[in-house]
Amino acid sequence: ALYNCTIMNLDYDNIENQLFLEEERRMSYLGFRCLEISRWVVCGWIGFLTGLIACFIDIAVEELAGFKYQVVKENIEKFTEVGGLSISLLLWAVLNAAIVMVGAIIVAYFEPIAAGSGIPQIKCYLNGIKIPRVVRLKTLVVKVCGVICSVVGGLAVGKEGPMIHSGAVVAAGVSQGRSTSLKKDFKIFEYFRRDTEKRDFVSAGAAAGVSAAFGAPVGGVLFSLEEGASFWNQMLTWRIFFASMISTFTLNFFLSIYHKNTGDLSSPGLINFGRFEGDSVAYNLYEIPLFILMGAIGGLLGALFNILNYWLTIFRIRYVHRPCLQVMEAMLVAAVTATVSFTMIYFSNDCQPLGPEHAEEYPLQLFCADGEYNSMATAFFNTPERSVRSLFHNQAGTYNPLTLGLFTLTYFFLACWTYGLAVSAGVFIPSLLIGAAWGRLFGILLAYITPNSVSKWADPGKYALIGAAAQLGGIVRMTLSLTVIMVEATGNVTYGFPIMLVLMTAKIVGDYIVEGLYDIHIKLQSVPFLHWEAPATSHWLTAREVMSSPVTCLNRIEKVGTIVDTLSNTSTKHNGFPVVVQPAKLCGLILRSQLIVLLKHKVFVELARSRLTHRKLQLKDFRDAYPRFPPIQSIHVSQDERECMMDLTEFMNPTPYTVPQETSLPRVFKLFRALGLRHLVVVDDENRVVGLVTRKDLARYHLGKHGLEELQLAQT
Amino acid sequence: ALYNCTIMNLDYDNIENQLFLEEERRMSYLGFRCLEISRWVVCGWIGFLTGLIACFIDIAVEELAGFKYQVVKENIEKFTEVGGLSISLLLWAVLNAAIVMVGAIIVAYFEPIAAGSGIPQIKCYLNGIKIPRVVRLKTLVVKVCGVICSVVGGLAVGKEGPMIHSGAVVAAGVSQGRSTSLKKDFKIFEYFRRDTEKRDFVSAGAAAGVSAAFGAPVGGVLFSLEEGASFWNQMLTWRIFFASMISTFTLNFFLSIYHKNTGDLSSPGLINFGRFEGDSVAYNLYEIPLFILMGAIGGLLGALFNILNYWLTIFRIRYVHRPCLQVMEAMLVAAVTATVSFTMIYFSNDCQPLGPEHAEEYPLQLFCADGEYNSMATAFFNTPERSVRSLFHNQAGTYNPLTLGLFTLTYFFLACWTYGLAVSAGVFIPSLLIGAAWGRLFGILLAYITPNSVSKWADPGKYALIGAAAQLGGIVRMTLSLTVIMVEATGNVTYGFPIMLVLMTAKIVGDYIVEGLYDIHIKLQSVPFLHWEAPATSHWLTAREVMSSPVTCLNRIEKVGTIVDTLSNTSTKHNGFPVVVQPAKLCGLILRSQLIVLLKHKVFVELARSRLTHRKLQLKDFRDAYPRFPPIQSIHVSQDERECMMDLTEFMNPTPYTVPQETSLPRVFKLFRALGLRHLVVVDDENRVVGLVTRKDLARYHLGKHGLEELQLAQT
């Protein structure tokens, strides 16, 4: 609904026209080696820059949040004895709202696409849908500033999700060797200026982002593969892994300098779950049913979260679509978050002794006795990353059950309200935090109800980890990649098995009720997202039924006027046109973007003679125009020129993939998805064009409650 | 060269004929859900059984090797003082040779395919090449017994590689719900009796094998993907991961019972690198160049290993092909291994104090003073897994440099000689052991030459690990999966970055000289192995040049005599025949195996009337015949029947994938590889059949030193 008018699809199928083949044939083996090396160099840069950005975000958040909490803490301490804590509350709420306002304004007014975590958008991109402006430099700048404001502003958000988007933007920029926004062309990597190559680099960027966010290079690779890859290629995967490794290493190295222990490479990600070591990490066989139970709870709570957020998003699409309203809503959420937190802290009487080894950065004494601190404040009066870590590692007894229960309840609703605001922010950390809270509660209750000898193993930190996994799995429904991310973030492979079980249970239970959060948001944008396989019961359908027909074909030598009219015709939705020789026999496929470049350079048969003095049109001309091809309206064609002819032979793809009309939908789907096609020509048994299958034709079939359903999709 | 006559290719493309479509259309949504659930159940069983087998191998090796070393140790102790250690040597050598003889006899005489690690064979299978008998029950039994004999027999081998093969066999067996060897059909999982489904399960089995071998479930998944997947599917990957997890969990659980601490789930694999914890695990920035240097050394040594083994394999193919010679060679190697080990131990005067916390299972005192033990013996007089662990974890100073140097040298040649013998055995552990030895040596030398303050970080165990990774990477050249396997086996993610760097360097250096060991062995079998992409410089070639032509076509309604003659004609190499309507217009594709089933059931047009009483041929008939279709010679067709007609319409695949003649090789390759095809029909622009592209046509192009080369491949 949001980006209807301008959604494009990516083309992962090389246009193997004569120009392309000539270039490839001219290139020596050494040339290909150089290309290969430059791919590695690009991946290295992607990793390095992504790591730097993560580092910048982390340091900025640390410094600014530290400053904010210091100010508020001093204020609270001042007024605790005097009375008049409402002033502290006001200060806190106003500070938060002001900071969030900045973040919301840049997002809502300058780059709305930078809102949220960006993961749904990157999923779409890797799936082959190009949402406009999603990988632009401006988006990156807004995203980075936005996420700093949201986290410092105390919203129930994390800075990890947006890293994935940031990495993808970095990749799209570095790999093209130029920035169209800055109007700067470095004249390098020109070979990579096409969808096929760019997608591969964006995968690497997304992986580098995950890797920097969670210190999980393998998890990053798996994320990219899970979300994007249709075709697995060993060298590509290895390069993606390289980018991931460089990214986590860069972040780690610069953070070690910032933390003044240069060279200590032990904090590889933005979020660090801390070390799970020693005896407490082991689990026993009889705990496994408990873990599965927690997985089911996570699935249920996750589904609830998603349903609430779905309603909220529908509401927002209807009523909160003006930027100023969006900014106001964000400020309201920030103020409410501060108020609720304050109230919770205020009415909590969970005082804990301030141990010498305590990890709390800003212990609030409030009404506690000297040498004690308010336990609720460690959860609320802190950056969410630190709260997660405290829940994982603080000793048993640090939190009382009531604190945890209340915290879970309030944070659940706050996080649910926050996701979808016009601010840059991720849902990973809030989910982990909710899960860690109820998981710890679960562990504590378990210790209460079991005999003493058993309660030894009911380490609340362990249950907090399992709960966090369950809640996150219940909300986002990722599978293998999430397991690996969680394992890498804990730095310990022992928990692999329980985390897998928990995520599996959460996914099964959750999927039974409602889709994952990202899928819900993708669906709300009604983009033609292709899943892994065609719906199981779609063997009834054949290419004949799913294809778009009739389809506009062009002749191999076509009148310029016809081409201009075809392109200008708004009812012609397609971006590719089969090229035919009479009678309707398929001989190639040409893209809208190619035709526009041809028109712009006036490659007409009649001008061929004078073109002897002109230079011949080269692949470079297409690459220079990539990816922002001008609209047809901007190209002026005179009435005389309309009568000229254009020879498409050299430019069309002479061997497009085709299927016969009787091919079943799953078979068409498999070909389309495996090769990342954009257009698939349907031919009859005389090789005559009868239709065209596009992404949208395939994406609209969906397995619903009542069998196969057709969806309404945005125009592409 | 070895299996020339009978190599088949797998067909990962569903035969979407009318029977298939009717079945799929009849199936309800619930039916598909049940299928999905049974896939999970099958994967669970695959994991469980693979884990059990690993457990059985481990316990058998522990018990038998323990017994053997105890006997030899007592004998040595007896004769050390009396003199006459040559008797001990004789005892050791004879024991080893006898045990290895058993292992070699069962392999050489009963199931030669069970020789070696089986990884090249599984790589071929996942690539789409079916080497006969590779996934049979008999192969599994021989493999398991063989690997126990080889390891107990003291050869320089590991039991990890064969686990991958074992897992694959288990998968192929369980998923089919029957055993053709045992003539037992459980009448379950009949839907899975086709290449598409079976391959997916074999991937899961291979992953479960890796997982059990190294305690590396994620590494297992990545191994399967790296070697096999052409098309990545989220649910499939998740199922593979499930099988891997169950496998490592099962192994862990049963081993914990065996080791009498039930429920302690901390030894997830056959090989356990032990815990790398504490301060010694950290590495510093300035160590990275050293790691890269070690990677280069590993690459060089690995290439040397591969070249030597290549020559040896050539020699073996020429001269050692009779089973009795193979058994004798294996016995010779066993005896020589024992003799060399004994000599090394005998002449070593590296005595180390026997600490209270020593981990050596069988400390040999020999000529050392009381309370000391012979350090060379910990490396040689031990199962290789234990030796690796000692090299990783024994304190600095446990080994002196001379011991390590001599050990590296001798073990290198022993391992190189051993790989390729007619015994079931893997090369993983010997590689790790060689690498750990020179890596530790490297670390010790480093500590010598650097000032005292620096030598603190030169922990020899750390360098042993890096050396092991470098050597293994230099030999097998796996990338991402090996990184993850190493990281999971160490149980610590800290070393991820250096291990990646080392493996990358080793691969680059090694690839410059010679291919990886598995690739060499695959090439020596001259099977049509498809790499990830077509050679970079192959844009010159088109489908017209690579295709086989002319191709035998069948009419849609064809005379039985013609079909029988076509199938009996030995010059018709193909297993698929385009079906045409006159004049040569493509209307389908039918497989040799289908035709054989049709002939066997006498599905002739003339008998159609009488078939009213007969039942109609169903998909079940094809499934029952899968995968061992009878040869054409076994089917009797009378002279009268030869005159009958056969209607192929219902059975042929009506929508085979096609390409035009002008399609470039990379484009053909991409389609073929991505969809796992077996036959690709080449048509002209009138949709007339002009040729057929098979795996062999594509696999023969290879990028050699002098540009594009054509290989000689075995007949398929």
Side-chain angles (χ1 to χ4, degrees):
Chain A
L2 283 170
Y3 326 106
N4 270 5
C5 41
T6 38
I7 286 175
M8 299 274 282
N9 294 326
L10 295 169
D11 207 340
Y12 296 146
D13 186 30
N14 280 327
I15 307 151
E16 292 215 336
N17 56 17
Q18 284 184 24
L19 295 181
F20 177 80
L21 286 175
E22 272 164 27
E23 193 196 65
E24 294 281 309
R25 285 169 191 168
R26 254 201 315 276
M27 214 186 296
S28 67
Y29 177 59
L30 211 70
F32 283 107
R33 284 303 283 266
C34 287
L35 268 185
E36 191 63 21
I37 292 171
S38 33
R39 286 198 188 100
W40 282 91
V41 172
V42 170
C43 281
W45 274 103
I46 291 171
F48 180 71
L49 292 177
T50 307
L52 272 192
I53 289 172
C55 190
F56 170 73
I57 293 177
D58 195 54
I59 294 176
V61 168
E62 284 281 312
E63 293 293 330
L64 295 174
F67 180 72
K68 186 193 87 175
Y69 285 119
Q70 210 53 48
V71 168
V72 176
K73 183 174 184 248
E74 275 164 21
N75 190 285
I76 291 177
E77 272 162 7
K78 200 171 99 194
F79 284 103
T80 309
E81 290 175 26
V82 190
L85 272 171
S86 50
I87 296 171
S88 304
L89 166 61
L90 202 65
L91 173 74
W92 191 3
V94 168
L95 258 180
N96 275 8
I99 300 169
V100 167
M101 187 183 72
V102 177
I105 283 176
I106 54 173
V107 169
Y109 285 96
F110 293 100
E111 198 54 277
I113 198 77
S117 69
I119 295 180
Q121 284 84 349
I122 296 303
K123 273 183 83 153
C124 285
Y125 189 95
L126 294 178
N127 193 263
I129 306 156
K130 195 170 160 184
I131 295 167
R133 303 190 310 283
V134 82
V135 289
R136 294 227 183 141
L137 183 62
K138 190 175 157 196
T139 311
L140 176 64
V141 173
V142 170
K143 189 119 219 167
V144 169
C145 301
V147 78
I148 294 173
C149 292
S150 333
V151 178
V152 174
L155 290 178
V157 297
K159 56 192 187 296
E160 282 69 17
M163 268 320 296
I164 298 166
H165 192 167
S166 304
V169 182
V170 167
V174 172
S175 68
Q176 302 299 297
R178 69 174 165 193
S179 161
T180 12
S181 313
L182 299 182
K183 299 207 172 30
K184 178 105 191 130
D185 190 338
F186 293 96
K187 304 276 179 203
I188 46 171
F189 308 141
E190 291 176 329
Y191 188 87
F192 302 146
R193 292 179 190 171
R194 49 186 158 129
D195 285 345
T196 332
E197 297 278 351
K198 196 171 172 182
R199 194 263 298 250
D200 288 351
F201 288 114
V202 171
S203 309
V210 175
S211 173
F214 301 98
V218 180
V221 174
L222 290 174
F223 174 85
S224 270
L225 290 173
E226 206 171 290
E227 299 307 345
S230 53
F231 183 67
W232 162 287
N233 178 315
Q234 192 181 22
M235 284 317 285
L236 170 63
T237 315
W238 190 223
R239 268 203 305 276
I240 294 179
F241 186 53
F242 179 69
S244 294
M245 272 291 183
I246 295 286
S247 157
T248 178
F249 184 77
T250 307
L251 173 68
N252 207 334
F253 179 69
F254 285 102
L255 280 189
S256 78
I257 294 179
Y258 171 68
H259 292 132
K260 299 206 176 48
N261 40 8
T262 311
D264 169 32
L265 304 172
S266 56
S267 56
L270 288 183
I271 170 84
N272 191 336
F273 288 178
R275 292 263 153 250
F276 281 86
E277 270 174 20
D279 288 339
S280 68
V281 303
Y283 60 95
N284 278 294
L285 206 59
Y286 44 82
E287 288 181 80
I288 285 175
L290 293 173
F291 294 156
I292 291 177
L293 175 66
M294 289 178 76
I297 297 173
L300 288 175
L301 286 178
L304 179 66
F305 187 99
N306 293 359
I307 290 171
L308 292 178
N309 193 268
Y310 173 75
W311 290 339
L312 193 63
T313 310
I314 296 278
F315 177 83
R316 279 185 183 137
I317 289 173
R318 288 219 188 115
Y319 305 106
V320 198
H321 42 70
R322 278 172 53 206
C324 62
L325 285 177
Q326 290 176 337
V327 172
M328 278 164 62
E329 194 199 1
M331 288 172 66
L332 177 67
V333 175
V336 169
T337 307
T339 313
V340 169
S341 308
F342 191 87
T343 320
M344 299 290 286
I345 295 172
Y346 187 85
F347 287 108
S348 153
N349 49 7
D350 180 9
C351 291
Q352 300 288 346
L354 198 56
E357 87 303 353
H358 72 94
E360 288 73 36
E361 193 82 346
Y362 323 105
L364 271 188
Q365 187 181 345
L366 221 63
F367 305 117
C368 293
D370 282 349
E372 291 195 332
Y373 68 96
N374 186 309
S375 172
M376 187 66 100
T378 48
F380 270 123
F381 195 68
N382 223 332
T383 58
E385 282 85 359
R386 283 181 195 282
S387 309
V388 171
R389 215 154 46 231
S390 325
L391 285 168
F392 284 169
H393 293 292
N394 279 8
Q395 283 178 302
T398 321
Y399 297 93
N400 79 35
L402 188 67
T403 309
L404 288 173
L406 279 173
F407 178 77
T408 306
L409 197 71
T410 48
Y411 211 80
F412 184 89
F413 289 106
L414 282 176
C416 190
W417 190 10
T418 309
Y419 189 79
L421 281 183
V423 294
S424 301
V427 76
F428 265 81
I429 297 297
S431 311
L432 287 174
L433 194 47
I434 298 165
W438 66 253
R440 202 177 168 100
L441 180 63
F442 190 96
I444 293 174
L445 296 181
L446 212 63
Y448 277 142
I449 60 171
T450 48
N452 223 1
S453 66
V454 186
S455 67
K456 217 188 88 218
W457 49 259
D459 172 51
K462 178 168 65 182
Y463 284 88
L465 177 68
I466 298 292
Q471 183 67 53
L472 185 54
I475 290 175
V476 302
R477 311 280 166 77
M478 284 152 62
T479 56
L480 180 59
S481 56
L482 190 55
T483 313
V484 176
I485 288 172
M486 293 291 291
V487 169
E488 287 189 293
T490 54
N492 194 310
V493 295
T494 322
Y495 284 126
F497 188 69
I499 287 176
M500 184 199 69
L501 278 182
V502 159
L503 288 178
M504 200 177 275
T505 320
K507 186 173 164 65
I508 292 171
V509 172
D511 277 348
Y512 194 78
I513 305 171
V514 70
E515 281 176 295
L517 188 62
Y518 298 139
D519 295 313
I520 288 177
H521 279 257
I522 287 174
K523 220 175 209 172
L524 282 172
Q525 293 172 8
S526 60
V527 291
F529 192 84
L530 286 189
H531 290 274
W532 295 102
E533 283 173 337
T537 54
S538 64
H539 275 97
W540 288 104
L541 293 164
T542 63
R544 198 200 312 272
E545 282 129 10
V546 299
M547 71 188 182
S548 313
S549 172
V551 50
T552 319
C553 292
L554 297 174
N555 287 309
R556 195 209 289 252
I557 297 178
E558 183 65 273
K559 243 181 81 186
V560 173
T562 317
I563 294 177
V564 173
D565 291 344
T566 308
L567 294 185
S568 312
N569 185 349
T570 47
S571 72
T572 319
K573 308 171 304 244
H574 293 142
N575 284 294
F577 303 94
V579 180
V580 294
V581 288
Q582 289 312 329
K585 202 148 274 189
L586 178 71
C587 70
L589 182 82
I590 197 151
L591 299 181
R592 181 184 288 266
S593 58
Q594 292 180 296
L595 289 173
I596 283 179
V597 175
L598 292 179
L599 284 175
K600 202 174 143 202
H601 287 85
K602 306 212 182 295
V603 189
F604 307 146
V605 177
E606 282 73 9
L607 300 179
R609 213 167 295 151
S610 61
R611 219 198 299 159
L612 285 175
T613 52
H614 275 65
R615 65 176 185 78
K616 199 163 157 280
L617 202 66
Q618 286 175 332
L619 221 46
K620 190 177 174 309
D621 299 297
F622 293 95
R623 283 182 186 150
D624 284 346
Y626 177 84
R628 302 192 199 169
F629 298 101
I632 180 69
Q633 289 76 17
S634 73
I635 290 167
H636 180 71
V637 179
S638 72
Q639 205 59 38
D640 280 357
E641 284 170 342
R642 285 182 64 90
E643 297 302 317
C644 289
M645 301 299 277
M646 214 150 97
D647 184 356
L648 306 178
T649 316
E650 215 178 339
F651 309 104
M652 70 187 187
N653 179 357
T655 54
Y657 293 110
T658 59
V659 284
Q661 302 178 72
E662 302 79 33
T663 317
S664 70
L665 175 59
R667 201 171 169 80
V668 174
F669 197 99
K670 197 179 158 201
L671 179 68
F672 202 91
R673 183 78 165 87
L675 298 179
L677 300 183
R678 190 171 173 189
H679 305 99
L680 182 58
V681 186
V682 182
V683 292
D684 65 8
D685 53 8
E686 298 277 333
N687 204 30
R688 281 182 303 230
V689 178
V690 293
L692 196 65
V693 175
T694 60
R695 169 177 285 271
K696 205 190 128 194
D697 299 318
L698 297 176
R700 67 196 152 126
Y701 295 101
H702 185 80
L703 206 57
K705 289 244 155 64
H706 313 287
L708 209 60
E709 289 171 357
E710 276 194 48
L711 297 176
Q712 290 300 318
L713 293 175
Q715 293 298 344
T716 56
Chain B
L2 284 170
Y3 326 106
N4 270 5
C5 41
T6 38
I7 286 175
M8 300 273 282
N9 295 326
L10 296 170
D11 208 340
Y12 296 145
D13 186 30
N14 280 328
I15 307 151
E16 292 216 335
N17 56 17
Q18 285 184 24
L19 295 181
F20 177 80
L21 286 175
E22 272 165 26
E23 194 196 64
E24 295 280 310
R25 285 169 190 167
R26 254 201 315 273
M27 215 186 298
S28 66
Y29 177 59
L30 211 70
F32 283 107
R33 284 302 284 266
C34 286
L35 267 185
E36 191 63 21
I37 292 170
S38 34
R39 286 198 188 101
W40 282 93
V41 171
V42 170
C43 280
W45 273 103
I46 291 171
F48 180 71
L49 292 177
T50 307
L52 271 193
I53 289 173
C55 190
F56 171 71
I57 293 177
D58 195 54
I59 294 176
V61 167
E62 283 281 312
E63 292 293 330
L64 294 175
F67 180 72
K68 187 193 87 174
Y69 284 119
Q70 209 54 49
V71 169
V72 176
K73 182 174 184 249
E74 276 164 20
N75 191 284
I76 290 176
E77 273 163 6
K78 199 171 100 194
F79 284 103
T80 309
E81 289 176 26
V82 189
L85 273 171
S86 49
I87 297 170
S88 305
L89 166 61
L90 201 67
L91 172 74
W92 192 3
V94 167
L95 259 180
N96 275 9
I99 300 168
V100 168
M101 188 182 72
V102 177
I105 283 175
I106 55 173
V107 169
Y109 285 94
F110 293 100
E111 198 54 277
I113 198 77
S117 69
I119 295 180
Q121 283 84 350
I122 296 305
K123 273 184 84 156
C124 285
Y125 189 95
L126 294 179
N127 193 264
I129 305 158
K130 194 170 162 186
I131 295 168
R133 303 191 310 283
V134 82
V135 290
R136 292 224 184 143
L137 183 62
K138 191 175 157 198
T139 311
L140 176 64
V141 173
V142 170
K143 189 118 218 167
V144 169
C145 300
V147 78
I148 295 173
C149 292
S150 334
V151 178
V152 174
L155 290 178
V157 297
K159 57 193 188 295
E160 282 69 17
M163 268 321 295
I164 298 166
H165 191 166
S166 305
V169 182
V170 167
V174 171
S175 68
Q176 302 299 296
R178 69 173 166 195
S179 162
T180 12
S181 313
L182 299 182
K183 299 206 173 31
K184 178 106 190 131
D185 190 339
F186 293 95
K187 305 273 177 206
I188 46 170
F189 307 141
E190 290 176 331
Y191 188 86
F192 301 147
R193 293 180 190 171
R194 47 185 159 130
D195 285 345
T196 332
E197 298 278 351
K198 195 170 172 183
R199 195 263 297 252
D200 288 351
F201 288 114
V202 171
S203 309
V210 174
S211 173
F214 301 98
V218 179
V221 174
L222 289 175
F223 174 84
S224 270
L225 289 173
E226 205 171 290
E227 300 306 344
S230 52
F231 184 66
W232 164 286
N233 178 314
Q234 192 182 21
M235 283 318 284
L236 170 63
T237 314
W238 189 223
R239 270 203 305 275
I240 294 179
F241 187 53
F242 179 69
S244 294
M245 272 291 184
I246 295 286
S247 158
T248 179
F249 184 77
T250 307
L251 173 69
N252 207 335
F253 179 69
F254 285 102
L255 281 189
S256 77
I257 295 180
Y258 172 68
H259 292 133
K260 302 207 174 48
N261 39 8
T262 311
D264 168 32
L265 303 173
S266 57
S267 55
L270 289 183
I271 170 84
N272 191 335
F273 288 178
R275 293 262 154 252
F276 283 85
E277 270 174 18
D279 289 338
S280 68
V281 303
Y283 59 95
N284 278 293
L285 206 58
Y286 45 83
E287 287 181 81
I288 285 175
L290 294 171
F291 295 157
I292 291 176
L293 175 65
M294 290 178 77
I297 297 174
L300 287 175
L301 286 178
L304 179 65
F305 187 99
N306 293 358
I307 290 172
L308 291 178
N309 193 268
Y310 173 76
W311 290 340
L312 193 64
T313 311
I314 296 278
F315 176 83
R316 277 183 184 140
I317 289 174
R318 287 217 190 117
Y319 304 108
V320 198
H321 43 70
R322 280 172 50 204
C324 61
L325 285 177
Q326 290 177 338
V327 172
M328 280 164 62
E329 196 200 357
M331 288 171 66
L332 178 67
V333 175
V336 168
T337 307
T339 313
V340 168
S341 309
F342 191 86
T343 320
M344 299 290 287
I345 295 171
Y346 188 85
F347 288 107
S348 154
N349 48 9
D350 180 9
C351 292
Q352 300 288 346
L354 199 56
E357 88 302 355
H358 72 94
E360 288 72 35
E361 192 83 347
Y362 321 106
L364 272 188
Q365 186 180 343
L366 219 64
F367 305 118
C368 293
D370 283 350
E372 291 194 332
Y373 69 96
N374 186 309
S375 171
M376 187 66 101
T378 47
F380 269 123
F381 195 70
N382 223 333
T383 57
E385 281 84 0
R386 283 182 195 281
S387 310
V388 171
R389 213 153 49 231
S390 327
L391 285 169
F392 284 169
H393 293 292
N394 280 6
Q395 283 176 301
T398 321
Y399 297 92
N400 78 37
L402 188 67
T403 310
L404 289 172
L406 279 172
F407 178 77
T408 306
L409 197 72
T410 48
Y411 211 80
F412 184 88
F413 289 107
L414 283 176
C416 190
W417 190 10
T418 310
Y419 190 77
L421 282 182
V423 294
S424 302
V427 76
F428 265 80
I429 297 297
S431 310
L432 288 174
L433 194 47
I434 299 165
W438 67 252
R440 201 174 169 104
L441 179 63
F442 190 95
I444 294 174
L445 296 182
L446 212 62
Y448 277 142
I449 59 169
T450 48
N452 224 3
S453 65
V454 186
S455 66
K456 218 187 89 217
W457 48 258
D459 172 50
K462 177 168 67 181
Y463 283 88
L465 177 68
I466 298 293
Q471 184 67 55
L472 185 55
I475 291 176
V476 302
R477 311 280 166 75
M478 285 153 61
T479 56
L480 180 59
S481 56
L482 191 55
T483 313
V484 176
I485 288 172
M486 293 289 293
V487 168
E488 286 189 296
T490 54
N492 193 309
V493 296
T494 323
Y495 283 126
F497 187 68
I499 287 176
M500 184 200 68
L501 278 182
V502 159
L503 289 178
M504 200 178 274
T505 320
K507 186 174 165 63
I508 291 170
V509 171
D511 278 347
Y512 193 77
I513 306 172
V514 69
E515 282 175 295
L517 188 62
Y518 299 139
D519 294 314
I520 287 177
H521 280 257
I522 288 173
K523 219 176 209 173
L524 282 171
Q525 293 172 7
S526 60
V527 292
F529 194 85
L530 285 189
H531 290 274
W532 294 101
E533 282 174 337
T537 55
S538 64
H539 275 97
W540 287 103
L541 293 164
T542 63
R544 196 200 312 273
E545 281 130 10
V546 300
M547 71 188 182
S548 314
S549 171
V551 51
T552 319
C553 294
L554 297 173
N555 286 309
R556 194 210 290 254
I557 297 179
E558 184 63 273
K559 242 181 81 185
V560 172
T562 316
I563 293 176
V564 174
D565 292 342
T566 308
L567 294 185
S568 312
N569 185 349
T570 46
S571 72
T572 319
K573 307 168 308 238
H574 294 142
N575 284 295
F577 303 95
V579 181
V580 294
V581 288
Q582 288 312 327
K585 203 147 274 188
L586 178 71
C587 71
L589 182 83
I590 196 150
L591 299 181
R592 181 183 287 265
S593 59
Q594 291 180 296
L595 289 173
I596 283 180
V597 175
L598 292 180
L599 284 175
K600 202 173 144 202
H601 288 85
K602 306 210 183 297
V603 188
F604 308 145
V605 176
E606 282 73 9
L607 300 179
R609 212 166 298 150
S610 61
R611 220 198 298 160
L612 285 176
T613 52
H614 275 65
R615 65 175 185 78
K616 197 160 160 281
L617 201 66
Q618 285 175 333
L619 220 47
K620 190 179 174 307
D621 299 297
F622 292 95
R623 282 180 187 152
D624 283 346
Y626 177 84
R628 302 192 199 171
F629 297 103
I632 179 70
Q633 289 77 16
S634 72
I635 290 167
H636 180 71
V637 178
S638 73
Q639 205 58 37
D640 280 358
E641 285 170 339
R642 285 183 65 90
E643 296 303 316
C644 289
M645 300 300 277
M646 213 150 97
D647 185 355
L648 306 178
T649 315
E650 212 177 341
F651 308 104
M652 70 186 187
N653 179 355
T655 54
Y657 293 111
T658 59
V659 283
Q661 302 179 71
E662 302 78 34
T663 317
S664 70
L665 175 59
R667 202 171 167 81
V668 174
F669 197 100
K670 196 178 160 200
L671 179 67
F672 201 91
R673 183 78 166 89
L675 298 179
L677 300 183
R678 190 171 173 189
H679 305 99
L680 182 58
V681 186
V682 182
V683 292
D684 66 8
D685 52 7
E686 297 279 334
N687 202 30
R688 282 182 302 229
V689 178
V690 292
L692 195 66
V693 174
T694 61
R695 169 177 286 269
K696 206 190 128 194
D697 299 318
L698 297 176
R700 68 194 150 127
Y701 295 100
H702 185 80
L703 206 58
K705 291 244 155 64
H706 312 288
L708 211 59
E709 289 170 356
E710 278 195 43
L711 296 175
Q712 290 300 320
L713 293 174
Q715 294 298 344
T716 57

